[in-house]
Amino acid sequence: MSQPVSAPATTRDPSAPTAAELLDFVTRSAADKDLIASLPLDPEGRTWVRLEGPGGSEAWLIGWPPGTGTGWHDHAESFGAFATAAGELKENALAVRLPASGWKTLELDEGVDRERQLAAGSGRAFGTHHVHEVLNESAAEHAVSVHAYYPPLPLIRRFSRSGAVLRLEQVERPEDWQ
């Protein structure tokens, strides 16, 4: 009788942070009044400062003028977390895992849209290939948030969306935003 063959177990780097640890980091950082006050805010565009994240993660403090957002994007193979420190952010997300590569246009099924309001003090963690957009819908107030990703972002895929159609528009590498 033959024995079942099992796939080799993937080993996690013991020094790598977990999604829960990233969420704890961004939540604690978002509560740090001195850190939040140190971010220069621009009335016209988003501002950001790189932070030292836990366990080699990439972290950012981000200012959001009224009416700004990220557009639809994902963080490739990185998982992460973010927390709102001031103001309120809205996250629109897709409850679907996209193929890692080999496509330019996808038609989305009904029922994949998710929406969250993240007031100051609230945050969330997310897994790899999480497609979302983050918005400050306030007409008058800046929002500030803290984000962390592990492994450090290898790329960001940017998408456009028209109804149920999601289209890959651009792939950005770290040198494009650092």
Side-chain angles (χ1 to χ4, degrees):
M1 183 174 338
S2 64
Q3 294 293 319
V5 177
S6 60
T10 56
T11 57
R12 184 175 100 65
D13 177 351
S15 67
T18 64
E21 289 168 334
L22 292 181
L23 182 57
D24 179 63
F25 168 79
V26 299
T27 302
R28 281 186 294 105
S29 298
D32 182 336
K33 302 279 187 229
D34 291 336
L35 175 65
I36 302 313
S38 73
L39 180 66
L41 298 177
D42 181 332
E44 301 295 318
R46 287 191 303 148
T47 54
W48 53 89
V49 173
R50 189 164 185 161
L51 304 174
E52 189 66 38
S57 64
E58 180 173 343
W60 298 91
L61 176 61
I62 301 176
W64 307 76
T68 59
T70 61
W72 288 96
H73 67 283
D74 76 0
H75 306 101
E77 299 294 330
S78 297
F79 61 90
F82 71 99
T84 305
E88 182 173 271
L89 293 173
K90 176 182 177 183
E91 180 194 36
N92 294 317
L94 299 178
V96 62
R97 183 176 172 103
L98 300 179
S101 63
W103 66 277
K104 289 282 187 189
T105 303
L106 288 176
E107 187 160 343
L108 302 169
D109 291 333
E110 285 186 37
V112 299
D113 289 294
R114 301 292 182 267
E115 179 182 303
R116 285 183 180 84
Q117 295 296 133
L118 295 145
S122 59
R124 71 173 317 293
F126 54 86
T128 60
H129 300 284
H130 176 69
V131 178
H132 68 165
E133 65 174 350
V134 179
L135 309 160
N136 176 5
E137 293 186 317
S138 171
E141 252 188 273
H142 258 81
V144 177
S145 58
V146 180
H147 302 245
Y149 311 97
Y150 190 87
L153 296 172
L155 58 89
I156 293 176
R157 297 187 301 177
R158 298 217 175 261
F159 308 100
S160 62
R161 180 156 183 207
S162 178
V165 176
L166 188 71
R167 177 171 283 112
L168 176 63
E169 297 291 346
Q170 181 179 3
V171 176
E172 294 177 3
R173 306 260 176 227
E175 56 271 15
D176 297 325
W177 66 81
Q178 292 183 1

